Amino acid sequence: MTDPTRTIITGPAIPLRGHDIDTDRIIPARFLKCVVFDGIGDHVFEDDRSQERERGKTHPFDDPRWADARILVVNRNFGCGSSREHAPQAIMRWGRGIQAIVGESFAEIFFGNCAAIGVPCVTADEGTIARLMDLATAQPGLAFRLDLPARRLTAGDVTATVAMPEGARQQLVEGRWDTTAELLEARAAITATAARLPYFAHWR
């Protein structure tokens, strides 16, 4: 397994304003038929982007100023609605790949689905998020730096303390977030343990 730790994440940030952005807006239901997630990033916010084009406007995810973004900045209750795991997959696979999300708050299942694929979701207060969004808008190429061990985000002259549930943060920092990979690496030990358990005997 390649280095799975998620400790320092740097890159430009893309601001996405609005509260209660649900998973159906992140990835519409018609794109949930895929068995694998290849290409799903092309359809992130598909309907929102189309609606903005019809109004003669440009959605942030269509704006070339943020084409290289690695960090997404959002408002309150991001990722609410249905529990579709396609939503964080689509965000992660858009453009160069969103590696972290910073917001006021996140829906619980969305947060868990992000953590399961190694995308940290950290929170900051409303005023800090507003400053970060304004900064990303004014300076689209500015590098943001998320330091998970230090629970700190820096961008230009802004330094902010961010929060994340400790269990999920430790898993990302220590590289233990990929539970499937951990199971596969421990296959021999699991098999040996199962062989010693009498209630597995009838399966052999």
Side-chain angles (χ1 to χ4, degrees), residues 107-155:
E108 184 176 356
I109 295 177
F110 177 84
F111 173 92
N113 285 337
C114 284
I117 59 173
V119 175
C121 295
V122 300
T123 59
D125 62 77
E126 180 181 359
T128 296
I129 293 299
R131 291 178 66 195
L132 293 173
M133 285 185 166
D134 290 345
L135 194 57
T137 301
Q139 302 181 56
L142 179 68
F144 282 51
R145 185 177 190 271
L146 174 61
D147 185 333
L148 274 182
R151 303 176 183 85
R152 183 172 59 241
L153 177 70
T154 55

Side-chain angles (χ1 to χ4, degrees), residues 48-196:
D48 284 14
R49 292 158 75 177
S50 177
Q51 290 167 12
E52 288 295 271
R53 286 192 292 270
E54 290 174 1
R55 298 185 186 107
K57 299 180 180 180
T58 303
H59 189 277
F61 276 69
D62 279 331
D63 196 318
R65 292 180 297 169
W66 294 300
D68 294 329
R70 306 293 267 176
I71 296 173
L72 172 62
V73 186
V74 299
N75 289 118
R76 185 175 62 246
N77 196 31
F78 186 77
C80 57
S82 64
S83 60
R84 61 191 66 173
E85 61 181 325
H86 297 66
Q89 287 280 357
I91 291 171
M92 181 182 71
R93 294 167 186 270
W94 171 80
R96 291 186 60 212
I98 296 297
Q99 296 183 327
I101 310 177
V102 184
E104 294 176 49
S105 62
F106 298 92
E108 184 176 356
I109 295 177
F110 177 84
F111 173 92
N113 285 337
C114 284
I117 59 173
V119 175
C121 295
V122 300
T123 59
D125 62 77
E126 180 181 359
T128 296
I129 293 299
R131 291 178 66 195
L132 293 173
M133 285 185 166
D134 290 345
L135 194 57
T137 301
Q139 302 181 56
L142 179 68
F144 282 51
R145 185 177 190 271
L146 174 61
D147 185 333
L148 274 182
R151 303 176 183 85
R152 183 172 59 241
L153 177 70
T154 55
D157 60 355
V158 176
T159 297
T161 298
V162 295
M164 185 179 191
E166 186 57 20
R169 190 186 73 87
Q170 283 295 334
Q171 285 182 320
L172 289 163
V173 170
E174 296 171 7
R176 295 183 292 105
W177 56 270
D178 191 340
T179 54
T180 301
E182 288 201 317
L183 283 172
L184 291 173
E185 287 189 347
R187 181 183 300 171
I190 293 169
T191 300
T193 299
R196 294 194 301 270

